[in-house]
PDB file of all heavy atoms in Angstrom:
ATOM      1  N   ASN A   1      23.369 -64.263  12.439  1.00  0.00           N
ATOM      2  CA  ASN A   1      22.671 -64.929  13.538  1.00  0.00           C
ATOM      3  C   ASN A   1      22.396 -66.400  13.237  1.00  0.00           C
ATOM      4  O   ASN A   1      22.557 -67.262  14.111  1.00  0.00           O
ATOM      5  CB  ASN A   1      21.352 -64.205  13.832  1.00  0.00           C
ATOM      6  CG  ASN A   1      21.563 -62.772  14.296  1.00  0.00           C
ATOM      7  OD1 ASN A   1      22.673 -62.385  14.663  1.00  0.00           O
ATOM      8  ND2 ASN A   1      20.515 -61.980  14.279  1.00  0.00           N
ATOM      9  N   LEU A   2      21.965 -66.678  12.006  1.00  0.00           N
ATOM     10  CA  LEU A   2      21.617 -68.057  11.649  1.00  0.00           C
ATOM     11  C   LEU A   2      22.819 -68.983  11.651  1.00  0.00           C
ATOM     12  O   LEU A   2      22.657 -70.201  11.720  1.00  0.00           O
ATOM     13  CB  LEU A   2      20.940 -68.087  10.272  1.00  0.00           C
ATOM     14  CG  LEU A   2      19.517 -67.519  10.217  1.00  0.00           C
ATOM     15  CD1 LEU A   2      19.017 -67.492   8.782  1.00  0.00           C
ATOM     16  CD2 LEU A   2      18.570 -68.322  11.105  1.00  0.00           C
ATOM     17  N   MET A   3      24.013 -68.419  11.585  1.00  0.00           N
ATOM     18  CA  MET A   3      25.206 -69.253  11.691  1.00  0.00           C
ATOM     19  C   MET A   3      25.223 -70.041  13.004  1.00  0.00           C
ATOM     20  O   MET A   3      25.870 -71.080  13.113  1.00  0.00           O
ATOM     21  CB  MET A   3      26.472 -68.393  11.601  1.00  0.00           C
ATOM     22  CG  MET A   3      26.736 -67.783  10.240  1.00  0.00           C
ATOM     23  SD  MET A   3      27.172 -69.020   9.007  1.00  0.00           S
ATOM     24  CE  MET A   3      27.448 -67.965   7.567  1.00  0.00           C
ATOM     25  N   GLY A   4      24.498 -69.556  13.994  1.00  0.00           N
ATOM     26  CA  GLY A   4      24.481 -70.211  15.296  1.00  0.00           C
ATOM     27  C   GLY A   4      23.682 -71.499  15.337  1.00  0.00           C
ATOM     28  O   GLY A   4      23.836 -72.297  16.276  1.00  0.00           O
ATOM     29  N   VAL A   5      22.807 -71.736  14.344  1.00  0.00           N
ATOM     30  CA  VAL A   5      21.991 -72.949  14.357  1.00  0.00           C
ATOM     31  C   VAL A   5      22.262 -73.833  13.139  1.00  0.00           C
ATOM     32  O   VAL A   5      21.620 -74.870  12.986  1.00  0.00           O
ATOM     33  CB  VAL A   5      20.486 -72.611  14.419  1.00  0.00           C
ATOM     34  CG1 VAL A   5      20.149 -71.922  15.736  1.00  0.00           C
ATOM     35  CG2 VAL A   5      20.056 -71.739  13.239  1.00  0.00           C
ATOM     36  N   ILE A   6      23.187 -73.441  12.274  1.00  0.00           N
ATOM     37  CA  ILE A   6      23.541 -74.283  11.128  1.00  0.00           C
ATOM     38  C   ILE A   6      24.461 -75.407  11.608  1.00  0.00           C
ATOM     39  O   ILE A   6      25.485 -75.123  12.244  1.00  0.00           O
ATOM     40  CB  ILE A   6      24.236 -73.455  10.030  1.00  0.00           C
ATOM     41  CG1 ILE A   6      23.268 -72.404   9.475  1.00  0.00           C
ATOM     42  CG2 ILE A   6      24.737 -74.357   8.906  1.00  0.00           C
ATOM     43  CD1 ILE A   6      23.898 -71.485   8.445  1.00  0.00           C
ATOM     44  N   PRO A   7      24.115 -76.663  11.362  1.00  0.00           N
ATOM     45  CA  PRO A   7      24.953 -77.783  11.827  1.00  0.00           C
ATOM     46  C   PRO A   7      26.394 -77.653  11.354  1.00  0.00           C
ATOM     47  O   PRO A   7      26.675 -77.187  10.248  1.00  0.00           O
ATOM     48  CB  PRO A   7      24.264 -79.006  11.199  1.00  0.00           C
ATOM     49  CG  PRO A   7      22.844 -78.580  11.010  1.00  0.00           C
ATOM     50  CD  PRO A   7      22.900 -77.120  10.675  1.00  0.00           C
ATOM     51  N   LEU A   8      27.301 -78.048  12.217  1.00  0.00           N
ATOM     52  CA  LEU A   8      28.750 -78.035  12.016  1.00  0.00           C
ATOM     53  C   LEU A   8      29.366 -76.637  12.117  1.00  0.00           C
ATOM     54  O   LEU A   8      30.556 -76.508  12.394  1.00  0.00           O
ATOM     55  CB  LEU A   8      29.136 -78.664  10.667  1.00  0.00           C
ATOM     56  CG  LEU A   8      28.680 -80.113  10.448  1.00  0.00           C
ATOM     57  CD1 LEU A   8      29.126 -80.600   9.070  1.00  0.00           C
ATOM     58  CD2 LEU A   8      29.194 -81.026  11.540  1.00  0.00           C
ATOM     59  N   ILE A   9      28.583 -75.606  11.873  1.00  0.00           N
ATOM     60  CA  ILE A   9      29.088 -74.235  12.031  1.00  0.00           C
ATOM     61  C   ILE A   9      28.801 -73.762  13.442  1.00  0.00           C
ATOM     62  O   ILE A   9      29.688 -73.487  14.232  1.00  0.00           O
ATOM     63  CB  ILE A   9      28.458 -73.286  10.998  1.00  0.00           C
ATOM     64  CG1 ILE A   9      28.854 -73.699   9.586  1.00  0.00           C
ATOM     65  CG2 ILE A   9      28.887 -71.850  11.274  1.00  0.00           C
ATOM     66  CD1 ILE A   9      28.233 -72.859   8.487  1.00  0.00           C
ATOM     67  N   GLN A  10      27.529 -73.631  13.757  1.00  0.00           N
ATOM     68  CA  GLN A  10      27.026 -73.397  15.112  1.00  0.00           C
ATOM     69  C   GLN A  10      27.798 -72.319  15.880  1.00  0.00           C
ATOM     70  O   GLN A  10      28.250 -72.532  16.995  1.00  0.00           O
ATOM     71  CB  GLN A  10      27.032 -74.714  15.910  1.00  0.00           C
ATOM     72  CG  GLN A  10      26.072 -75.732  15.320  1.00  0.00           C
ATOM     73  CD  GLN A  10      26.180 -77.086  15.964  1.00  0.00           C
ATOM     74  OE1 GLN A  10      27.274 -77.634  16.107  1.00  0.00           O
ATOM     75  NE2 GLN A  10      25.054 -77.651  16.373  1.00  0.00           N
ATOM     76  N   PHE A  11      27.898 -71.164  15.240  1.00  0.00           N
ATOM     77  CA  PHE A  11      28.534 -70.024  15.911  1.00  0.00           C
ATOM     78  C   PHE A  11      27.960 -68.733  15.342  1.00  0.00           C
ATOM     79  O   PHE A  11      28.251 -68.376  14.200  1.00  0.00           O
ATOM     80  CB  PHE A  11      30.053 -70.047  15.735  1.00  0.00           C
ATOM     81  CG  PHE A  11      30.756 -69.071  16.635  1.00  0.00           C
ATOM     82  CD1 PHE A  11      31.264 -69.487  17.856  1.00  0.00           C
ATOM     83  CD2 PHE A  11      30.883 -67.732  16.282  1.00  0.00           C
ATOM     84  CE1 PHE A  11      31.899 -68.584  18.703  1.00  0.00           C
ATOM     85  CE2 PHE A  11      31.508 -66.832  17.108  1.00  0.00           C
ATOM     86  CZ  PHE A  11      32.020 -67.249  18.323  1.00  0.00           C
ATOM     87  N   PRO A  12      27.123 -68.029  16.113  1.00  0.00           N
ATOM     88  CA  PRO A  12      26.576 -66.762  15.621  1.00  0.00           C
ATOM     89  C   PRO A  12      27.644 -65.671  15.610  1.00  0.00           C
ATOM     90  O   PRO A  12      28.264 -65.392  16.636  1.00  0.00           O
ATOM     91  CB  PRO A  12      25.464 -66.443  16.636  1.00  0.00           C
ATOM     92  CG  PRO A  12      25.876 -67.160  17.879  1.00  0.00           C
ATOM     93  CD  PRO A  12      26.623 -68.376  17.452  1.00  0.00           C
ATOM     94  N   VAL A  13      27.871 -65.083  14.466  1.00  0.00           N
ATOM     95  CA  VAL A  13      28.920 -64.064  14.330  1.00  0.00           C
ATOM     96  C   VAL A  13      28.690 -62.905  15.300  1.00  0.00           C
ATOM     97  O   VAL A  13      29.629 -62.369  15.882  1.00  0.00           O
ATOM     98  CB  VAL A  13      28.971 -63.552  12.878  1.00  0.00           C
ATOM     99  CG1 VAL A  13      29.992 -62.428  12.733  1.00  0.00           C
ATOM    100  CG2 VAL A  13      29.300 -64.693  11.921  1.00  0.00           C
ATOM    101  N   ALA A  14      27.423 -62.521  15.484  1.00  0.00           N
ATOM    102  CA  ALA A  14      27.108 -61.375  16.340  1.00  0.00           C
ATOM    103  C   ALA A  14      27.364 -61.638  17.814  1.00  0.00           C
ATOM    104  O   ALA A  14      27.262 -60.712  18.628  1.00  0.00           O
ATOM    105  CB  ALA A  14      25.653 -60.950  16.133  1.00  0.00           C
ATOM    106  N   SER A  15      27.684 -62.888  18.202  1.00  0.00           N
ATOM    107  CA  SER A  15      28.020 -63.158  19.594  1.00  0.00           C
ATOM    108  C   SER A  15      29.418 -62.665  19.945  1.00  0.00           C
ATOM    109  O   SER A  15      29.809 -62.692  21.107  1.00  0.00           O
ATOM    110  CB  SER A  15      27.898 -64.658  19.905  1.00  0.00           C
ATOM    111  OG  SER A  15      28.855 -65.399  19.167  1.00  0.00           O
ATOM    112  N   HIS A  16      30.192 -62.242  18.944  1.00  0.00           N
ATOM    113  CA  HIS A  16      31.445 -61.517  19.158  1.00  0.00           C
ATOM    114  C   HIS A  16      31.122 -60.033  19.030  1.00  0.00           C
ATOM    115  O   HIS A  16      30.748 -59.567  17.951  1.00  0.00           O
ATOM    116  CB  HIS A  16      32.502 -61.938  18.140  1.00  0.00           C
ATOM    117  CG  HIS A  16      33.459 -62.954  18.680  1.00  0.00           C
ATOM    118  ND1 HIS A  16      34.815 -62.858  18.540  1.00  0.00           N
ATOM    119  CD2 HIS A  16      33.246 -64.084  19.393  1.00  0.00           C
ATOM    120  CE1 HIS A  16      35.412 -63.881  19.125  1.00  0.00           C
ATOM    121  NE2 HIS A  16      34.472 -64.653  19.643  1.00  0.00           N
ATOM    122  N   ILE A  17      31.280 -59.289  20.091  1.00  0.00           N
ATOM    123  CA  ILE A  17      30.771 -57.923  20.159  1.00  0.00           C
ATOM    124  C   ILE A  17      31.381 -57.006  19.110  1.00  0.00           C
ATOM    125  O   ILE A  17      30.758 -56.017  18.707  1.00  0.00           O
ATOM    126  CB  ILE A  17      30.987 -57.350  21.584  1.00  0.00           C
ATOM    127  CG1 ILE A  17      30.117 -56.098  21.786  1.00  0.00           C
ATOM    128  CG2 ILE A  17      32.465 -57.072  21.834  1.00  0.00           C
ATOM    129  CD1 ILE A  17      30.067 -55.643  23.228  1.00  0.00           C
ATOM    130  N   ALA A  18      32.582 -57.306  18.630  1.00  0.00           N
ATOM    131  CA  ALA A  18      33.238 -56.418  17.667  1.00  0.00           C
ATOM    132  C   ALA A  18      32.430 -56.275  16.380  1.00  0.00           C
ATOM    133  O   ALA A  18      32.373 -55.182  15.799  1.00  0.00           O
ATOM    134  CB  ALA A  18      34.641 -56.932  17.341  1.00  0.00           C
ATOM    135  N   PHE A  19      31.769 -57.340  15.937  1.00  0.00           N
ATOM    136  CA  PHE A  19      31.066 -57.303  14.654  1.00  0.00           C
ATOM    137  C   PHE A  19      29.825 -56.411  14.707  1.00  0.00           C
ATOM    138  O   PHE A  19      29.695 -55.506  13.874  1.00  0.00           O
ATOM    139  CB  PHE A  19      30.726 -58.723  14.203  1.00  0.00           C
ATOM    140  CG  PHE A  19      31.943 -59.541  13.872  1.00  0.00           C
ATOM    141  CD1 PHE A  19      32.511 -60.385  14.809  1.00  0.00           C
ATOM    142  CD2 PHE A  19      32.540 -59.438  12.625  1.00  0.00           C
ATOM    143  CE1 PHE A  19      33.648 -61.119  14.516  1.00  0.00           C
ATOM    144  CE2 PHE A  19      33.676 -60.179  12.318  1.00  0.00           C
ATOM    145  CZ  PHE A  19      34.232 -61.016  13.273  1.00  0.00           C
ATOM    146  N   PRO A  20      28.894 -56.622  15.633  1.00  0.00           N
ATOM    147  CA  PRO A  20      27.769 -55.679  15.704  1.00  0.00           C
ATOM    148  C   PRO A  20      28.203 -54.274  16.085  1.00  0.00           C
ATOM    149  O   PRO A  20      27.576 -53.300  15.664  1.00  0.00           O
ATOM    150  CB  PRO A  20      26.851 -56.293  16.766  1.00  0.00           C
ATOM    151  CG  PRO A  20      27.706 -57.222  17.548  1.00  0.00           C
ATOM    152  CD  PRO A  20      28.744 -57.728  16.598  1.00  0.00           C
ATOM    153  N   ALA A  21      29.287 -54.136  16.861  1.00  0.00           N
ATOM    154  CA  ALA A  21      29.755 -52.806  17.267  1.00  0.00           C
ATOM    155  C   ALA A  21      30.226 -52.012  16.052  1.00  0.00           C
ATOM    156  O   ALA A  21      29.848 -50.842  15.884  1.00  0.00           O
ATOM    157  CB  ALA A  21      30.878 -52.926  18.294  1.00  0.00           C
ATOM    158  N   VAL A  22      31.037 -52.618  15.201  1.00  0.00           N
ATOM    159  CA  VAL A  22      31.540 -51.928  14.005  1.00  0.00           C
ATOM    160  C   VAL A  22      30.385 -51.544  13.090  1.00  0.00           C
ATOM    161  O   VAL A  22      30.341 -50.424  12.556  1.00  0.00           O
ATOM    162  CB  VAL A  22      32.563 -52.806  13.258  1.00  0.00           C
ATOM    163  CG1 VAL A  22      32.890 -52.222  11.890  1.00  0.00           C
ATOM    164  CG2 VAL A  22      33.838 -52.938  14.086  1.00  0.00           C
ATOM    165  N   LEU A  23      29.423 -52.446  12.908  1.00  0.00           N
ATOM    166  CA  LEU A  23      28.286 -52.162  12.037  1.00  0.00           C
ATOM    167  C   LEU A  23      27.427 -51.039  12.611  1.00  0.00           C
ATOM    168  O   LEU A  23      27.021 -50.119  11.886  1.00  0.00           O
ATOM    169  CB  LEU A  23      27.448 -53.432  11.851  1.00  0.00           C
ATOM    170  CG  LEU A  23      26.326 -53.365  10.812  1.00  0.00           C
ATOM    171  CD1 LEU A  23      26.872 -52.937   9.451  1.00  0.00           C
ATOM    172  CD2 LEU A  23      25.628 -54.713  10.700  1.00  0.00           C
ATOM    173  N   ALA A  24      27.158 -51.088  13.918  1.00  0.00           N
ATOM    174  CA  ALA A  24      26.334 -50.055  14.547  1.00  0.00           C
ATOM    175  C   ALA A  24      27.032 -48.696  14.536  1.00  0.00           C
ATOM    176  O   ALA A  24      26.394 -47.662  14.284  1.00  0.00           O
ATOM    177  CB  ALA A  24      25.994 -50.460  15.984  1.00  0.00           C
TER     178      ALA A  24
END
């Protein structure tokens, strides 16, 4: 989640549904 607010990265991994889906 914090990847979404880190400068230059700014992309939360969990915003791609496949990642939370596989974990859940």
Side-chain angles (χ1 to χ4, degrees):
N1 297 345
L2 288 175
M3 291 291 181
V5 295
I6 296 176
L8 302 180
I9 296 177
Q10 295 173 310
F11 192 95
V13 176
S15 65
H16 262 227
I17 196 169
F19 293 95
V22 169
L23 188 55

